[in-house]
Coordinates of all heavy atoms in Angstrom, one line a residue:
M1 N 22.9 -10.7 9.0 CA 23.2 -9.3 9.4 C 22.0 -8.4 9.2 O 21.2 -8.6 8.3 CB 24.3 -8.8 8.4 CG 24.8 -7.4 8.8 SD 26.2 -6.9 7.7 CE 25.3 -6.4 6.3
C2 N 21.8 -7.5 10.2 CA 20.7 -6.6 10.2 C 20.8 -5.6 9.1 O 21.9 -4.9 9.1 CB 20.5 -6.0 11.5 SG 19.3 -4.7 11.7
V3 N 19.8 -5.3 8.2 CA 20.0 -4.3 7.2 C 19.8 -2.9 7.8 O 20.1 -1.9 7.1 CB 18.9 -4.5 6.1 CG1 19.2 -5.8 5.3 CG2 17.5 -4.4 6.6
G4 N 19.4 -2.8 9.0 CA 19.3 -1.5 9.7 C 20.6 -1.0 10.3 O 21.2 -0.1 9.8
C5 N 21.0 -1.7 11.3 CA 22.2 -1.3 12.0 C 23.5 -2.0 11.5 O 24.6 -1.6 11.9 CB 22.1 -1.6 13.5 SG 21.9 -3.3 13.9
R6 N 23.3 -2.9 10.6 CA 24.5 -3.6 9.9 C 25.3 -4.4 10.9 O 26.4 -4.7 10.6 CB 25.4 -2.6 9.2 CG 24.6 -1.6 8.4 CD 24.5 -1.9 7.0 NE 25.7 -2.1 6.3 CZ 25.8 -2.6 5.0 NH1 24.7 -2.9 4.4 NH2 26.9 -2.8 4.4
K7 N 24.7 -4.8 12.0 CA 25.5 -5.6 13.0 C 25.1 -7.0 12.7 O 24.0 -7.4 12.3 CB 25.1 -5.2 14.4 CG 25.7 -4.0 14.9 CD 25.3 -3.7 16.3 CE 25.9 -2.3 16.7 NZ 25.0 -1.6 17.7
R8 N 26.1 -7.9 13.0 CA 25.8 -9.3 12.8 C 25.0 -9.8 13.9 O 25.1 -9.4 15.1 CB 27.2 -10.0 12.8 CG 27.9 -10.0 11.6 CD 29.2 -10.7 11.6 NE 30.0 -10.4 10.5 CZ 29.8 -10.9 9.3 NH1 28.9 -11.9 9.1 NH2 30.6 -10.6 8.3
A9 N 24.1 -10.7 13.6 CA 23.2 -11.3 14.7 C 22.8 -12.7 14.2 O 22.9 -12.9 13.0 CB 22.0 -10.4 14.9
S10 N 22.5 -13.5 15.1 CA 22.0 -14.8 14.6 C 20.6 -14.7 14.1 O 19.9 -13.8 14.4 CB 22.0 -15.8 15.8 OG 21.1 -15.4 16.7
V11 N 20.3 -15.7 13.2 CA 19.0 -15.7 12.5 C 17.9 -15.6 13.5 O 16.9 -15.0 13.3 CB 18.9 -16.9 11.6 CG1 17.5 -17.2 11.2 CG2 19.8 -16.7 10.3
G12 N 18.1 -16.3 14.7 CA 17.0 -16.3 15.7 C 16.7 -15.0 16.3 O 15.6 -14.8 16.8
E13 N 17.6 -14.0 16.2 CA 17.4 -12.7 16.7 C 16.7 -11.8 15.7 O 16.4 -10.7 16.1 CB 18.7 -12.1 17.2 CG 19.4 -12.8 18.3 CD 20.8 -12.1 18.5 OE1 20.8 -11.0 18.9 OE2 21.8 -12.7 18.2
L14 N 16.7 -12.2 14.5 CA 16.3 -11.2 13.4 C 15.0 -11.6 12.8 O 14.6 -12.8 12.9 CB 17.4 -11.2 12.3 CG 18.8 -10.7 12.7 CD1 19.8 -10.9 11.6 CD2 18.8 -9.3 13.2
L15 N 14.3 -10.6 12.2 CA 13.1 -10.8 11.6 C 13.4 -10.9 10.1 O 14.1 -10.1 9.5 CB 12.3 -9.5 11.8 CG 10.8 -9.5 11.6 CD1 10.1 -10.4 12.6 CD2 10.3 -8.1 11.8
R16 N 12.7 -11.9 9.4 CA 12.9 -12.0 8.0 C 11.8 -11.2 7.3 O 10.7 -11.3 7.7 CB 12.9 -13.5 7.5 CG 13.2 -13.6 6.0 CD 13.3 -15.1 5.6 NE 13.8 -15.2 4.3 CZ 13.1 -15.4 3.2 NH1 11.8 -15.7 3.3 NH2 13.6 -15.5 2.0
V17 N 12.2 -10.4 6.3 CA 11.2 -9.7 5.5 C 11.5 -10.0 4.1 O 12.6 -10.2 3.6 CB 11.3 -8.2 5.8 CG1 11.0 -7.9 7.3 CG2 12.6 -7.6 5.4
V18 N 10.4 -9.9 3.3 CA 10.5 -10.1 1.8 C 9.7 -9.1 1.2 O 8.8 -8.4 1.8 CB 10.0 -11.5 1.4 CG1 10.9 -12.6 2.0 CG2 8.6 -11.7 1.8
A19 N 9.9 -8.8 -0.1 CA 9.2 -7.8 -0.9 C 8.1 -8.5 -1.7 O 8.3 -9.5 -2.3 CB 10.1 -7.1 -1.8
T20 N 6.9 -8.0 -1.6 CA 5.7 -8.5 -2.3 C 5.0 -7.3 -2.9 O 4.5 -6.5 -2.1 CB 4.8 -9.3 -1.4 OG1 5.6 -10.3 -0.7 CG2 3.8 -10.1 -2.2
D21 N 4.8 -7.2 -4.2 CA 4.1 -6.1 -4.8 C 4.4 -4.8 -4.3 O 3.5 -4.0 -3.9 CB 2.5 -6.4 -4.6 CG 2.1 -7.6 -5.3 OD1 2.7 -8.0 -6.3 OD2 1.1 -8.3 -4.8
G22 N 5.7 -4.5 -4.2 CA 6.1 -3.2 -3.8 C 6.0 -2.9 -2.3 O 6.2 -1.8 -1.8
Q23 N 5.7 -3.9 -1.5 CA 5.7 -3.8 -0.1 C 6.6 -4.7 0.6 O 6.9 -5.8 0.1 CB 4.3 -4.2 0.4 CG 3.2 -3.1 0.3 CD 2.1 -3.3 1.3 OE1 1.7 -4.5 1.5 NE2 1.6 -2.3 1.9
V24 N 7.2 -4.3 1.7 CA 8.0 -5.2 2.5 C 7.1 -5.8 3.5 O 6.3 -5.1 4.2 CB 9.1 -4.4 3.2 CG1 10.0 -5.4 4.0 CG2 10.0 -3.6 2.2
V25 N 7.1 -7.1 3.6 CA 6.2 -7.8 4.5 C 7.0 -8.7 5.4 O 8.1 -9.1 5.1 CB 5.1 -8.7 3.8 CG1 4.2 -7.8 2.9 CG2 5.8 -9.7 2.9
V26 N 6.5 -8.9 6.6 CA 7.2 -9.8 7.6 C 6.9 -11.2 7.3 O 5.8 -11.6 7.0 CB 6.7 -9.4 9.0 CG1 7.3 -10.3 10.0 CG2 6.9 -8.0 9.3
D27 N 8.0 -12.0 7.2 CA 7.9 -13.4 7.0 C 8.1 -14.1 8.3 O 9.2 -14.6 8.6 CB 9.0 -13.8 5.9 CG 8.9 -15.3 5.6 OD1 8.0 -15.9 6.0 OD2 9.9 -15.7 5.0
E28 N 7.1 -14.2 9.1 CA 7.2 -14.7 10.4 C 7.7 -16.2 10.5 O 8.4 -16.5 11.4 CB 5.8 -14.7 11.1 CG 5.5 -13.3 11.6 CD 4.2 -13.3 12.4 OE1 4.3 -13.5 13.6 OE2 3.1 -13.1 11.8
R29 N 7.3 -16.9 9.5 CA 7.7 -18.3 9.5 C 8.9 -18.6 8.7 O 9.4 -19.7 8.6 CB 6.6 -19.2 9.0 CG 5.3 -19.2 9.9 CD 4.3 -20.1 9.4 NE 3.2 -20.2 10.3 CZ 2.2 -21.1 10.2 NH1 2.2 -21.9 9.1 NH2 1.3 -21.2 11.1
R30 N 9.4 -17.5 8.1 CA 10.7 -17.6 7.3 C 10.6 -18.6 6.2 O 11.5 -19.4 6.0 CB 11.8 -18.0 8.3 CG 12.1 -17.0 9.3 CD 13.1 -17.4 10.3 NE 13.2 -16.4 11.3 CZ 13.7 -16.6 12.5 NH1 14.1 -17.7 12.9 NH2 13.8 -15.6 13.4
R31 N 9.5 -18.7 5.6 CA 9.3 -19.6 4.5 C 8.8 -19.0 3.2 O 8.5 -19.7 2.3 CB 8.4 -20.8 4.9 CG 7.9 -20.8 6.2 CD 7.0 -21.8 6.7 NE 6.7 -22.9 5.8 CZ 6.0 -24.0 6.3 NH1 5.7 -24.1 7.5 NH2 5.7 -25.0 5.5
L32 N 8.6 -17.8 3.2 CA 8.1 -17.2 1.9 C 9.2 -17.2 0.9 O 10.4 -17.1 1.2 CB 7.7 -15.7 2.2 CG 6.5 -15.5 3.0 CD1 6.2 -14.0 3.2 CD2 5.3 -16.1 2.4
P33 N 8.8 -17.4 -0.4 CA 9.9 -17.6 -1.4 C 10.5 -16.2 -1.7 O 10.0 -15.2 -1.3 CB 9.1 -18.1 -2.6 CG 7.7 -17.6 -2.4 CD 7.5 -17.6 -0.9
G34 N 11.6 -16.3 -2.4 CA 12.2 -15.0 -2.8 C 13.3 -14.6 -1.9 O 13.6 -15.2 -0.9
R35 N 13.9 -13.5 -2.3 CA 15.0 -13.0 -1.5 C 14.6 -12.4 -0.2 O 13.6 -11.6 -0.2 CB 15.7 -11.9 -2.4 CG 17.2 -11.9 -2.3 CD 17.7 -10.7 -3.1 NE 18.9 -10.4 -2.4 CZ 20.1 -11.0 -2.6 NH1 20.2 -12.0 -3.4 NH2 21.2 -10.6 -1.9
G36 N 15.2 -12.7 0.8 CA 14.8 -12.1 2.1 C 15.9 -11.1 2.6 O 17.0 -11.1 2.2
A37 N 15.4 -10.2 3.5 CA 16.4 -9.4 4.2 C 16.1 -9.6 5.7 O 15.0 -10.0 6.1 CB 16.1 -7.9 3.9
W38 N 17.1 -9.3 6.5 CA 17.0 -9.6 7.9 C 17.1 -8.3 8.7 O 18.0 -7.4 8.4 CB 18.1 -10.6 8.3 CG 18.0 -11.9 7.6 CD1 18.5 -12.2 6.4 CD2 17.2 -13.0 8.1 NE1 18.1 -13.5 6.1 CE2 17.4 -14.0 7.1 CE3 16.5 -13.3 9.2 CZ2 16.8 -15.2 7.2 CZ3 15.9 -14.5 9.3 CH2 16.0 -15.5 8.3
L39 N 16.3 -8.2 9.7 CA 16.2 -7.0 10.5 C 16.0 -7.3 11.9 O 15.2 -8.2 12.3 CB 15.0 -6.2 9.9 CG 14.7 -4.8 10.5 CD1 15.7 -3.8 10.0 CD2 13.3 -4.4 10.1
H40 N 16.6 -6.5 12.8 CA 16.2 -6.6 14.2 C 14.8 -6.2 14.4 O 14.4 -5.2 13.7 CB 17.1 -5.7 15.1 CG 18.5 -6.2 15.4 ND1 19.6 -5.6 15.0 CD2 18.9 -7.4 16.0 CE1 20.7 -6.3 15.3 NE2 20.3 -7.4 15.9
P41 N 14.0 -6.9 15.2 CA 12.6 -6.5 15.4 C 12.5 -5.2 16.2 O 11.9 -5.2 17.3 CB 12.0 -7.7 16.0 CG 13.1 -8.3 16.7 CD 14.3 -8.1 15.9
E42 N 13.1 -4.1 15.8 CA 13.2 -2.9 16.5 C 12.9 -1.7 15.6 O 13.5 -1.7 14.5 CB 14.5 -2.7 17.1 CG 14.8 -3.7 18.2 CD 16.3 -3.7 18.6 OE1 17.0 -2.7 18.3 OE2 16.7 -4.6 19.2
P43 N 12.0 -0.8 16.0 CA 11.7 0.4 15.1 C 13.0 1.1 14.7 O 13.0 1.6 13.6 CB 10.8 1.2 16.0 CG 10.1 0.2 16.9 CD 11.2 -0.8 17.2
G44 N 13.9 1.2 15.6 CA 15.1 2.0 15.3 C 15.9 1.4 14.1 O 16.4 2.1 13.2
C45 N 15.9 0.1 14.0 CA 16.6 -0.6 12.9 C 15.8 -0.4 11.6 O 16.4 -0.3 10.6 CB 16.9 -2.1 13.2 SG 18.2 -2.3 14.5
L46 N 14.5 -0.4 11.7 CA 13.7 -0.2 10.6 C 13.9 1.2 10.0 O 14.1 1.3 8.8 CB 12.2 -0.4 10.9 CG 11.2 -0.1 9.8 CD1 11.4 -1.0 8.6 CD2 9.8 -0.2 10.3
T47 N 14.0 2.1 10.9 CA 14.2 3.5 10.4 C 15.5 3.7 9.8 O 15.7 4.3 8.7 CB 14.1 4.5 11.6 OG1 12.8 4.4 12.2 CG2 14.3 5.9 11.2
K48 N 16.6 3.0 10.3 CA 17.9 3.1 9.7 C 17.9 2.4 8.4 O 18.5 3.0 7.4 CB 18.9 2.4 10.6 CG 19.3 3.2 11.8 CD 20.3 2.4 12.6 CE 20.5 3.0 14.0 NZ 21.1 2.1 15.0
A49 N 17.2 1.3 8.3 CA 17.2 0.6 7.0 C 16.4 1.5 5.9 O 16.9 1.5 4.8 CB 16.4 -0.7 7.1
E50 N 15.4 2.2 6.3 CA 14.7 3.0 5.4 C 15.5 4.2 4.9 O 15.6 4.5 3.8 CB 13.5 3.6 6.1 CG 12.2 2.8 6.0 CD 11.0 3.6 6.6 OE1 10.9 3.8 7.8 OE2 10.2 4.1 5.7
R51 N 16.2 4.8 5.9 CA 17.0 6.0 5.5 C 18.1 5.7 4.5 O 18.4 6.5 3.7 CB 17.7 6.5 6.8 CG 16.7 7.3 7.6 CD 17.4 8.3 8.5 NE 16.4 8.9 9.4 CZ 16.5 8.9 10.7 NH1 17.6 8.4 11.3 NH2 15.6 9.4 11.5
R52 N 18.7 4.5 4.7 CA 19.7 4.2 3.7 C 19.2 3.4 2.5 O 20.0 2.8 1.8 CB 20.9 3.5 4.4 CG 20.6 2.1 4.9 CD 21.9 1.3 5.0 NE 22.8 1.9 6.0 CZ 22.8 1.5 7.2 NH1 22.1 0.5 7.6 NH2 23.7 2.0 8.1
R53 N 17.9 3.3 2.4 CA 17.3 2.6 1.3 C 17.8 1.1 1.2 O 18.2 0.6 0.1 CB 17.5 3.3 0.0 CG 17.0 4.7 -0.1 CD 17.5 5.4 -1.3 NE 17.2 6.8 -1.2 CZ 16.0 7.4 -1.5 NH1 15.1 6.7 -1.9 NH2 15.9 8.7 -1.4
A54 N 17.9 0.5 2.3 CA 18.5 -0.8 2.4 C 17.6 -1.9 1.8 O 18.0 -2.9 1.3 CB 18.9 -1.1 3.8
F55 N 16.3 -1.7 1.9 CA 15.4 -2.7 1.5 C 15.4 -2.9 0.0 O 15.5 -4.1 -0.5 CB 13.9 -2.5 2.0 CG 13.8 -2.7 3.5 CD1 13.4 -1.6 4.3 CD2 14.1 -3.9 4.0 CE1 13.3 -1.8 5.6 CE2 13.9 -4.1 5.4 CZ 13.5 -3.0 6.2
P56 N 15.2 -1.9 -0.8 CA 15.3 -2.1 -2.3 C 16.6 -2.8 -2.7 O 16.6 -3.7 -3.6 CB 15.2 -0.7 -2.9 CG 14.4 0.1 -1.8 CD 14.9 -0.5 -0.5
R57 N 17.7 -2.4 -2.0 CA 19.0 -3.0 -2.4 C 19.0 -4.5 -1.9 O 19.4 -5.3 -2.7 CB 20.1 -2.2 -1.7 CG 21.4 -2.2 -2.5 CD 22.5 -1.5 -1.7 NE 22.0 -0.2 -1.2 CZ 22.4 0.4 -0.1 NH1 23.3 -0.2 0.7 NH2 21.9 1.6 0.3
A58 N 18.7 -4.7 -0.7 CA 18.8 -6.1 -0.2 C 17.8 -7.0 -0.8 O 18.1 -8.2 -1.0 CB 18.5 -6.1 1.4
L59 N 16.7 -6.5 -1.2 CA 15.6 -7.3 -1.8 C 15.6 -7.3 -3.3 O 14.7 -7.8 -4.0 CB 14.3 -6.9 -1.3 CG 14.1 -7.0 0.3 CD1 12.9 -6.4 0.7 CD2 14.3 -8.5 0.7
R60 N 16.6 -6.6 -3.9 CA 16.8 -6.5 -5.3 C 15.5 -6.0 -6.0 O 15.0 -6.6 -7.0 CB 17.1 -7.9 -5.9 CG 18.4 -8.5 -5.5 CD 19.6 -7.8 -6.2 NE 20.8 -8.6 -6.0 CZ 21.7 -8.3 -5.0 NH1 21.4 -7.3 -4.1 NH2 22.8 -9.0 -4.9
S61 N 15.0 -5.0 -5.5 CA 13.8 -4.4 -6.0 C 14.1 -3.0 -6.6 O 14.8 -2.3 -5.9 CB 12.7 -4.3 -4.9 OG 11.6 -3.6 -5.3
S62 N 13.5 -2.7 -7.7 CA 13.7 -1.4 -8.3 C 12.6 -0.5 -7.7 O 11.5 -1.0 -7.4 CB 13.6 -1.4 -9.8 OG 12.4 -2.0 -10.2
G63 N 12.9 0.7 -7.5 CA 11.9 1.6 -6.9 C 11.8 1.5 -5.4 O 12.6 0.9 -4.8
T64 N 10.8 2.2 -4.9 CA 10.7 2.2 -3.5 C 9.9 1.1 -3.0 O 9.1 0.5 -3.7 CB 10.1 3.5 -3.0 OG1 8.9 3.7 -3.7 CG2 11.0 4.7 -3.3
L65 N 10.0 0.7 -1.7 CA 9.2 -0.3 -1.1 C 8.5 0.3 0.1 O 9.1 1.0 0.9 CB 10.1 -1.5 -0.7 CG 10.7 -2.3 -1.8 CD1 11.8 -3.3 -1.2 CD2 9.6 -3.1 -2.5
D66 N 7.3 -0.1 0.2 CA 6.5 0.4 1.3 C 6.7 -0.5 2.6 O 6.6 -1.7 2.5 CB 5.0 0.3 0.9 CG 4.1 0.9 2.0 OD1 4.5 1.3 3.1 OD2 2.9 1.0 1.7
V67 N 7.1 0.2 3.7 CA 7.4 -0.6 4.9 C 6.3 -0.5 5.9 O 6.5 -0.9 7.1 CB 8.8 -0.2 5.5 CG1 9.9 -0.5 4.5 CG2 8.8 1.2 5.9
T68 N 5.2 0.0 5.5 CA 4.1 0.2 6.5 C 3.7 -1.1 7.3 O 3.5 -1.0 8.5 CB 2.8 0.7 5.7 OG1 3.1 1.8 5.0 CG2 1.7 1.0 6.7
V69 N 3.7 -2.2 6.6 CA 3.4 -3.4 7.2 C 4.4 -3.8 8.3 O 4.0 -4.2 9.4 CB 3.3 -4.6 6.2 CG1 3.0 -5.9 6.9 CG2 2.1 -4.3 5.2
V70 N 5.6 -3.6 8.0 CA 6.7 -3.9 9.0 C 6.6 -3.0 10.2 O 6.7 -3.4 11.3 CB 8.1 -3.8 8.3 CG1 9.2 -4.2 9.3 CG2 8.1 -4.8 7.1
R71 N 6.4 -1.7 9.8 CA 6.3 -0.7 10.9 C 5.1 -1.1 11.9 O 5.3 -1.0 13.1 CB 6.1 0.7 10.3 CG 6.4 1.8 11.3 CD 6.4 3.1 10.7 NE 7.5 3.4 9.8 CZ 8.7 3.7 10.2 NH1 8.9 3.8 11.5 NH2 9.7 3.8 9.4
R72 N 4.0 -1.4 11.3 CA 2.9 -1.8 12.1 C 3.2 -3.0 12.9 O 2.8 -3.1 14.1 CB 1.7 -2.0 11.2 CG 0.4 -1.9 11.8 CD -0.8 -2.0 10.8 NE -0.8 -0.9 9.9 CZ -1.3 -1.0 8.6 NH1 -1.6 -2.2 8.2 NH2 -1.3 0.0 7.8
Y73 N 3.9 -3.9 12.3 CA 4.2 -5.2 13.0 C 5.1 -4.8 14.2 O 5.0 -5.5 15.3 CB 5.0 -6.1 12.0 CG 5.4 -7.4 12.6 CD1 4.6 -8.5 12.6 CD2 6.7 -7.5 13.3 CE1 5.0 -9.7 13.1 CE2 7.1 -8.7 13.8 CZ 6.3 -9.8 13.7 OH 6.7 -11.0 14.3
L74 N 6.0 -3.9 14.1 CA 6.8 -3.5 15.2 C 6.1 -2.6 16.2 O 6.8 -2.1 17.1 CB 8.1 -2.8 14.6 CG 9.0 -3.7 13.7 CD1 10.2 -2.9 13.2 CD2 9.4 -4.9 14.4
G75 N 4.9 -2.3 15.9 CA 4.1 -1.6 16.9 C 4.2 -0.1 16.8 O 4.1 0.6 17.8
R76 N 4.2 0.4 15.6 CA 4.3 1.8 15.4 C 3.4 2.2 14.3 O 3.0 1.5 13.4 CB 5.7 2.2 14.9 CG 6.6 2.4 16.0 CD 7.7 3.3 15.5 NE 8.5 3.9 16.6 CZ 9.4 4.8 16.3 NH1 9.6 5.2 15.1 NH2 10.1 5.4 17.3
T77 N 3.0 3.5 14.2 CA 2.2 4.0 13.1 C 3.1 4.5 12.0 O 4.3 4.5 12.2 CB 1.3 5.2 13.6 OG1 2.2 6.2 14.1 CG2 0.3 4.7 14.6
A78 N 2.6 4.8 10.9 CA 3.4 5.1 9.7 C 4.2 6.4 9.9 O 5.2 6.6 9.3 CB 2.5 5.3 8.5
D79 N 3.8 7.2 10.9 CA 4.6 8.4 11.1 C 5.4 8.3 12.3 O 5.5 9.1 13.1 CB 3.7 9.7 11.2 CG 2.9 9.9 9.9 OD1 3.6 10.0 8.8 OD2 1.7 9.8 9.9
Ligands
ZN1 ZN1 19.6 -3.9 13.8

């Protein structure tokens, strides 16, 4: 399920992300260790996930997580 729009999707349609040192990073090969979250590779879903603080919850991380890397990956600037 996508943590942004909360719609079900197959793993092949979603991007796996994991938390590393307070940052959410894209796990392109889907082999990084740890808890992963799944997201449609779309800026809109990233924004929705950020607004509802879905990443810290899905990734079991306390505090905020920086999604700059993911945003850049999706072809957007931080603003
Ligand atoms: Zn989505």
Side-chain angles (χ1 to χ4, degrees):
M1 188 173 79
C2 171
V3 294
C5 63
R6 316 265 301 172
K7 284 182 186 148
R8 280 178 193 282
S10 67
V11 162
E13 296 175 67
L14 301 171
L15 196 65
R16 183 172 191 258
V17 298
V18 297
T20 311
D21 295 331
Q23 278 203 322
V24 183
V25 298
V26 178
D27 181 11
E28 282 184 89
R29 295 184 171 187
R30 298 175 182 158
R31 0 179 0 173
L32 292 178
R35 217 186 151 81
W38 299 88
L39 180 77
H40 282 118
E42 293 166 17
C45 286
L46 174 62
T47 300
K48 283 179 195 162
E50 270 190 286
R51 283 205 187 123
R52 68 155 64 95
R53 300 170 193 276
F55 289 119
R57 209 181 315 147
L59 301 172
R60 296 281 191 272
S61 171
S62 55
T64 53
L65 288 170
D66 186 353
V67 299
T68 305
V69 173
V70 180
R71 194 174 290 283
R72 203 175 291 149
Y73 181 89
L74 299 180
R76 275 203 164 187
T77 57
D79 298 301

